[in-house]
Amino acid sequence: MGFDDICNTGLGLGIYRQLPQNGHIHQQQKMKKKQILKYDHLLPSLTLGPSEDHAMTSASKADDIASKVYGDQASSISALSSFSNSSSVKKEREVIGDEEDQELELERVSNSRVSDEDYEDQGSPRKKLRLNKAQFATLEDSFKEHSTLTPKQKQALAEKLNLRPRQVEVWFQNRRARTKLKQTEVDCELLKKCCETLTEENKRLQKELQELKSLKVAAAAPLYMDMPAGAVTSLTMCPSCERICGGGGGGGDGSSTVPFSTLGSKPHFFNPFTHPSAASC
DNA sequence: GCCCAAGATCCTATTACCTCA
DNA sequence: GTTGAGGTAATAGGATCTTGG
């Protein structure tokens, strides 16, 4: 039996990790969302019409829809011809930082409230928002509390950070993806180490097996000359305590070697994670 | 109660922008 | 000034669930 056999039969090397936002928690959040949406009109900055999500992505994203979606910010949208101006993009690059000028920030945010159709109509490239440190810190803090957002939380964050709810949503999606990717990398490293440990363990066991075989041949005649053949062939050694044990439930002078009496009949593998010290008898 | 369409959100993969060495 | 790599916002598509007809 080789190492591959051991891995295939005795170890689950999957790296999947269940994320907490799955399952019923997710559904509860959706339920909350539905309840909240019923009263969207009561929220200060919400408007009637399609969600910001669809206003940004569906085929019907026209300027009039954008104005419905973003309400009082429609003027910013309609005035975003400046957005297609490369100079405004350059300006944005310069203002990112701790003490970002508030007016420029507001302009930047307003410019970011542009529908895809606006990009297409004006042939301008997709603009990329850069969060400033304060926005980033707030989002991070919120993410630490809960990796998913209720619509209410999303709206509140968006208002607090002067971002679109859709941007907050996207940020959380990407943040979850990054977290999962990091965790996958960690798991991968862990599995590599596991593989190395098992390889070493396998080598060690193979070596011990060879030693035991030679020992059995050399010692069988003088030590077990009077013993039945079956007792001799079941001679085993515990890989951890390295005591020689007789097979068949402790035959002969098995009183001192009984703890390892089952090794001869059953595979005896050690999980390096559950038994870091290769386990003891 | 069952079926179906619509709506919302999620995840995953990918694209595209931006910064930096 | 150019370029390639890396980070990340944004987009697209599919899956899942709830809700209402």
Side-chain angles (χ1 to χ4, degrees), chain A residues 96-112:
Chain A
I96 302 302
D98 252 346
E99 305 301 327
E100 190 168 12
D101 179 74
Q102 191 61 29
E103 284 187 19
L104 289 178
E105 171 64 13
L106 287 173
E107 178 189 14
R108 183 175 69 83
V109 171
S110 295
N111 287 345
S112 73

Side-chain angles (χ1 to χ4, degrees), chain A residues 147 207 241:
Chain A
S147 61
K207 188 179 177 182
C241 64

Side-chain angles (χ1 to χ4, degrees), chain A residues 12 29 50 61 124 162 189 196 200 202 207 210 217 239:
Chain A
Q29 289 174 337
K61 6 175 214 236
S124 60
N162 204 12
E189 284 301 311
E196 290 170 3
E200 288 302 313
N202 186 50
K207 188 179 177 182
Q210 289 299 321
V217 170

Side-chain angles (χ1 to χ4, degrees), chain A residues 50 60-71 74 77 115 117-118:
Chain A
S60 62
K61 6 175 214 236
D63 287 345
D64 57 338
I65 290 181
S67 65
K68 285 177 185 174
V69 171
Y70 298 115
I77 297 173
S115 70
E117 191 160 305
D118 292 319

Side-chain angles (χ1 to χ4, degrees), chain A residues 88-198:
Chain A
S88 75
V89 176
K90 286 183 181 177
K91 188 190 298 180
E92 177 205 343
R93 296 178 191 169
E94 295 163 2
V95 298
I96 302 302
D98 252 346
E99 305 301 327
E100 190 168 12
D101 179 74
Q102 191 61 29
E103 284 187 19
L104 289 178
E105 171 64 13
L106 287 173
E107 178 189 14
R108 183 175 69 83
V109 171
S110 295
N111 287 345
S112 73
R113 292 189 174 98
V114 58
S115 70
D116 292 345
E117 191 160 305
D118 292 319
Y119 290 113
E120 292 161 7
D121 286 350
Q122 301 178 18
S124 60
R126 180 168 78 185
K127 187 185 174 191
K128 187 165 185 171
L129 166 77
R130 291 284 294 180
L131 299 170
N132 61 35
K133 288 186 179 179
Q135 289 171 321
F136 181 81
T138 302
L139 287 168
E140 277 291 335
D141 288 344
S142 181
F143 185 82
K144 283 175 186 172
E145 289 182 20
H146 29 65
S147 61
T148 55
L149 287 174
T150 64
K152 194 174 183 178
Q153 290 169 331
K154 179 171 50 174
Q155 185 66 35
L157 261 179
E159 288 176 12
K160 183 179 178 182
L161 301 174
N162 204 12
L163 296 171
R164 280 179 284 132
R166 171 64 180 162
Q167 288 177 303
V168 174
E169 180 183 318
V170 166
W171 187 89
F172 267 75
Q173 282 179 7
N174 287 321
R175 185 66 177 79
R176 283 192 294 270
R178 285 194 289 272
T179 299
K180 188 174 182 179
L181 183 63
K182 271 189 177 179
Q183 186 58 51
T184 300
E185 289 172 355
V186 169
D187 289 342
C188 188
E189 284 301 311
L190 198 65
L191 286 172
K192 273 185 183 177
K193 288 180 181 175
C194 170
C195 185
E196 290 170 3
T197 303
L198 288 172

